[in-house]
């Protein structure tokens, strides 16, 4: 990361601090003053920040009640995380619509510049170092999914770090949905690569038939642990960072000390904030990387020599 | 802090929310489809084209380098050949000049020898001729002297014998 971005992000964080100060102060005041059973406990405030809700609060300016929609018994209300997700989707669409337009106009002789150049580094990284090196030949048809999932998760992660933002990827429902996409793509790719017979044979892991009673359940569980791992990894990472930042800030309120606020809470939460920017990129990358890896594992051909040769090649 | 831990475990962190799942799936699929058409297609095509372009440029550069090297090698060979040729010509010229000089010297020597011989022969002939003339003259003078002597003396025959023997003596001494 360039120093300039770090400075910018640090400035953004200071803005967050300034903007969230009223909430913190009000929460602190109630605690400092009353400390009674009816006041907001730090845990409640943290959970309020992390969890989804039907109310988009813009403290101290007021709040927006989001529409509640129920279709056929299912509650498909627009929530805070849905709104943020749409903002993330809109940003990704805007950025890549303009970048795609630039590439459409460009001939092979032109060099990319500006935004197109910046995005090209990321796209090429996903294309070569994530997709090509993990999936091998035929990686092109998985590229749109991998690229979309990377940028979508990245934007969702980063939007949790801006003022009034929230982290959709810190919600297990969102990460579960994305992991299920990877699961279906992986299984479809495996079925296409091996056929139904090969797919079923893969479940026995090529062992003797007497071991099938053990191997088949293990392999089936193995199919589901992969998306489960993806779900929990992203959700836990994004949630944990926010809980840590908020906990560090609340230390000063719990201890009712300005010295702790200046010496511990602010510097440590700035540090964790910067770490979170890194984690945002890292987790988006890991989700994409593991998706590519699972697709690669599922589509690899039975000849293990071939597979090893492919691995050694990279 | 204990209470917050309890809240974390019991709270809504892991509660399912079908609405959010629905919206996530819908949003993601729409983004995927739109981006596939708008962005990933052109970007990946452009990247692949550029990769191919760079590869072909590298190949072309390698070919050009090989060609230049072969031309350079050929030029060097030609230069070496020309050098050898020039040396050969010079050497041949020198040899020819040497030979010519030797031939001319020999010819001149032979000529000179011939001339010397001719001159000697001529001198010899001239000498013979002169000797003959001298001999006749001497004989005539001697005869005239003898005439006078004989005229003055009585016995001409005896005197002549003496003179002839004297001439014979001269001729044998001369030869």
């Amino acid at each position: 990361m360039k120093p300039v971005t770090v400075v910018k992000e640090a400035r953004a964080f200071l803005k967050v601090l300034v903007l969230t100060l009223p909430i913190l102060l009000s929460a602190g005041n109630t605690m400092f003053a009353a400390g009674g059973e009816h006041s907001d406990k730090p845990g409640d405030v943290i959970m309020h920040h992390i969890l989804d809700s039907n109310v988009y609060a813009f403290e101290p300016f007021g709040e927006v009640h989001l529409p509640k929609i129920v279709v056929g018994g299912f509650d498909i209300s627009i929530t805070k995380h849905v709104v943020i997700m749409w903002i993330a989707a809109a940003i990704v669409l805007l950025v890549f619509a303009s970048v795609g337009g630039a590439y459409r106009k460009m001939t092979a002789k032109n060099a990319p510049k500006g935004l197109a150049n910046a995005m090209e580094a990321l796209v090429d990284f996903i294309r070569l170092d994530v997709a090509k090196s993990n999936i091998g030949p035929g990686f092109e048809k998985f590229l749109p999914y991998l690229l979309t999932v990377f940028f979508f998760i990245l934007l969702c992660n980063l939007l949790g770090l801006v003022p009034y933002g929230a982290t959709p990827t810190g919600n297990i429902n969102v990460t579960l949905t994305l992991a299920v996409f990877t699961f279906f793509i992986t299984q479809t790719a495996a079925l296409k690569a091996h056929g139904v017979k090969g797919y079923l044979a893969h479940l026995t892991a090529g062992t003797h038939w007497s071991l099938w009673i053990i191997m088949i359940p293990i392999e089936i569980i193995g199919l589901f642990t992969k998306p489960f791992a993806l779900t929990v990894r992203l959700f836990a990472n994004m949630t944990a960072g926010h809980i840590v930042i908020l906990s560090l800030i609340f230390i000063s309120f719990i201890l009712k000390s300005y010295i702790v606020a200046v010496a511990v809470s602010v510097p440590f939460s700035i540090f964790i904030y910067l770490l979170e920017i890194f984690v945002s990129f890292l987790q988006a990358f890991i989700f994409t990387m593991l998706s590519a890896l699972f697709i690669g594992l599922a589509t690899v051909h039975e000849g293990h020599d071939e597979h090893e040769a492919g691995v050694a090649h990279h | 802090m204990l209470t917050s831990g309890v809240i974390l475990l019991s709270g809504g962190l892991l509660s399912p929310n079908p609405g959010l799942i629905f919206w996530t799936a819908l949003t993601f699929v729409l983004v995927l489809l739109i981006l596939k058409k708008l962005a990933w297609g052109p970007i990946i095509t452009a990247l692949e084209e550029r990769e191919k372009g760079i590869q072909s440029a590298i190949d072309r550069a390698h070919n050009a380098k090989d060609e230049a090297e072969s031309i350079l090698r050929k030029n060097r060979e030609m230069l070496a050949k020309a050098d050898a040729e020039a040396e050969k010509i010079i050497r041949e010229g020198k040899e020819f000049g040497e030979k010519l000089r030797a031939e001319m010297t020999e010819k001149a020597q032979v000529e000179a020898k011939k001339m010397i011989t001719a001159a000697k022969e001529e001198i010899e002939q001239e000498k013979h001729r002169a000797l003959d003339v001298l001999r006749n003259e001497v004989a005539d003078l001697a005869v005239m002297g003898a005439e006078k002597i004989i005229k003055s003396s009585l016995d001409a025959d005896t005197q002549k014998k003496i003179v002839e023997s004297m001439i014979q003596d001269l001729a044998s001494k001369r030869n």
Side-chain angles (χ1 to χ4, degrees):
Chain A
M1 201 179 294
K2 284 176 184 170
V4 182
T5 5
V6 174
V7 170
K8 267 187 192 165
E9 295 293 348
R11 270 192 205 143
F13 174 69
L14 287 177
K15 275 182 201 161
V16 183
L17 271 190
V18 170
L19 287 168
T20 49
L21 210 57
I23 329 168
L24 302 177
L25 282 180
S26 62
N29 281 341
T30 50
M31 274 195 298
F32 280 13
E37 282 169 29
H38 299 293
S39 65
D40 281 347
K41 289 206 175 65
D44 294 332
V45 179
I46 291 172
M47 288 317 290
H48 177 74
H49 178 86
I50 299 294
L51 288 179
D52 204 1
S53 83
N54 281 314
V55 179
Y56 207 133
F58 293 97
E59 305 233 20
F61 309 111
E63 49 190 33
V64 178
H65 287 271
L66 297 162
K68 203 167 171 63
I69 308 167
V70 179
V71 176
F74 280 108
D75 176 19
I76 53 165
S77 315
I78 312 294
T79 61
K80 192 164 76 175
H81 283 167
V82 175
V83 172
I84 296 289
M85 207 157 60
W86 285 348
I87 294 170
I91 294 171
V92 172
L93 284 177
L94 276 177
V95 166
F96 281 99
S98 85
V99 171
Y103 274 95
R104 228 182 267 269
K105 274 184 228 140
M106 209 157 75
T107 60
K109 282 174 186 166
N110 295 54
K113 52 190 172 189
L115 191 63
N117 200 2
M119 288 305 128
E120 185 187 307
L122 289 172
V123 171
D124 215 29
F125 173 71
I126 300 291
R127 187 170 84 95
L128 296 178
D129 293 332
V130 174
K132 196 177 181 185
S133 62
N134 283 311
I135 301 175
F139 70 97
E140 290 90 352
K141 45 178 197 287
F142 303 107
L143 261 183
Y145 172 72
L146 294 174
L147 287 165
T148 312
V149 95
F150 175 76
F151 288 105
F152 186 70
I153 291 176
L154 179 64
L155 254 291
C156 285
N157 291 349
L158 288 175
L159 282 179
L161 299 173
V162 299
Y164 296 122
T167 323
T169 42
N171 189 313
I172 199 160
N173 295 292
V174 175
T175 59
L176 178 71
T177 315
L178 293 173
V180 166
F181 275 115
T182 296
F183 175 75
F184 279 126
I185 284 171
T186 309
Q187 299 316 314
T188 316
L191 271 173
K192 260 189 198 161
H194 304 304
V196 179
K197 208 177 162 190
Y199 181 82
L200 292 175
H202 202 73
L203 287 180
T204 65
T207 50
H208 190 256
W209 61 268
S210 55
L211 287 172
W212 286 6
I213 196 157
I214 309 167
M215 287 315 292
I216 292 174
I218 289 177
E219 286 287 327
I220 288 174
I221 292 166
L223 289 180
F224 292 101
T225 50
K226 286 167 186 170
F228 180 74
L230 281 180
T231 307
V232 174
R233 182 179 293 108
L234 183 56
F235 151 72
N237 269 291
M238 295 327 294
T239 307
H242 286 255
I243 292 178
V244 169
I245 289 179
L246 290 165
S247 304
L248 282 167
I249 290 169
F250 272 106
I251 285 175
S252 56
F253 295 112
I254 292 166
L255 297 179
K256 296 175 187 172
S257 159
Y258 290 107
I259 296 166
V260 171
V262 172
V264 178
S265 295
V266 173
F268 275 77
S269 51
I270 288 173
F271 169 70
I272 298 293
Y273 185 93
L274 296 177
L275 195 68
E276 276 297 288
I277 296 167
F278 170 67
V279 168
S280 295
F281 280 90
L282 185 71
Q283 289 304 321
F285 162 67
I286 286 178
F287 193 98
T288 315
M289 176 82 181
L290 288 177
S291 295
L293 192 69
F294 294 156
I295 293 168
L297 284 176
T299 55
V300 77
H301 288 282
E302 280 305 312
H304 278 267
D305 296 336
E306 204 179 313
H307 172 60
E308 276 156 22
V311 169
H313 176 69
H314 296 301
Chain B
M1 289 309 270
L2 243 177
T3 49
S4 52
V6 171
I7 290 162
L8 276 180
L9 288 174
S10 65
L13 261 187
L14 298 173
S15 61
N17 181 350
L20 191 54
I21 290 174
F22 167 75
W23 285 120
T24 310
L26 186 69
T27 311
F28 183 76
V29 168
L30 283 178
V31 169
L32 174 62
L33 292 179
I34 295 170
L35 281 187
K36 194 175 175 182
K37 187 129 184 47
L38 273 184
W40 307 140
I43 291 175
I44 287 161
T45 317
L47 286 178
E48 271 164 6
E49 254 169 39
R50 196 188 311 152
E51 249 165 42
K52 270 180 213 153
I54 290 168
Q55 191 56 51
S56 78
I58 290 171
D59 289 348
R60 272 205 304 275
H62 270 288
N63 284 348
K65 197 185 150 207
D66 288 350
E67 216 165 284
E69 263 169 13
S70 80
I71 287 171
L72 189 71
R73 211 175 308 125
K74 223 180 266 171
N75 276 354
R76 275 203 192 124
E77 269 166 25
M78 277 166 74
L79 203 66
K81 224 186 254 174
D83 267 348
E85 195 85 7
E87 214 164 281
K88 201 176 134 198
I89 288 169
I90 290 169
R91 203 173 50 235
E92 272 177 5
K94 262 185 193 164
E95 267 169 22
F96 183 71
E98 201 80 13
K99 216 169 99 189
L100 203 66
R101 202 177 59 162
E103 255 172 33
M104 278 171 77
T105 321
E106 209 175 319
K107 230 191 220 167
Q109 273 173 353
V110 169
E111 199 81 8
K113 244 179 219 166
K114 233 194 238 165
M115 278 166 76
I116 289 166
T117 326
K120 266 185 186 164
E121 265 173 23
E122 212 163 306
I123 289 166
E124 201 70 17
Q125 275 173 4
E126 287 295 321
K127 203 171 83 186
H128 275 288
R129 213 180 294 144
L131 273 178
D132 280 351
V133 171
L134 191 67
R135 211 175 283 159
N136 287 344
E137 202 82 8
V138 168
D140 282 350
L141 279 176
V143 172
M144 269 165 32
E147 242 176 32
K148 272 180 189 165
I149 293 165
I150 291 163
K151 268 176 195 168
S152 61
S153 68
L154 289 172
D155 196 359
D157 288 333
T158 334
Q159 294 296 333
K160 209 177 176 179
K161 260 183 201 164
I162 292 161
V163 170
E164 265 177 1
S165 79
M166 190 195 75
I167 290 166
Q168 215 107 62
D169 273 356
L170 273 173
S172 69
K173 247 181 217 166
R174 173 73 206 150
N175 285 332

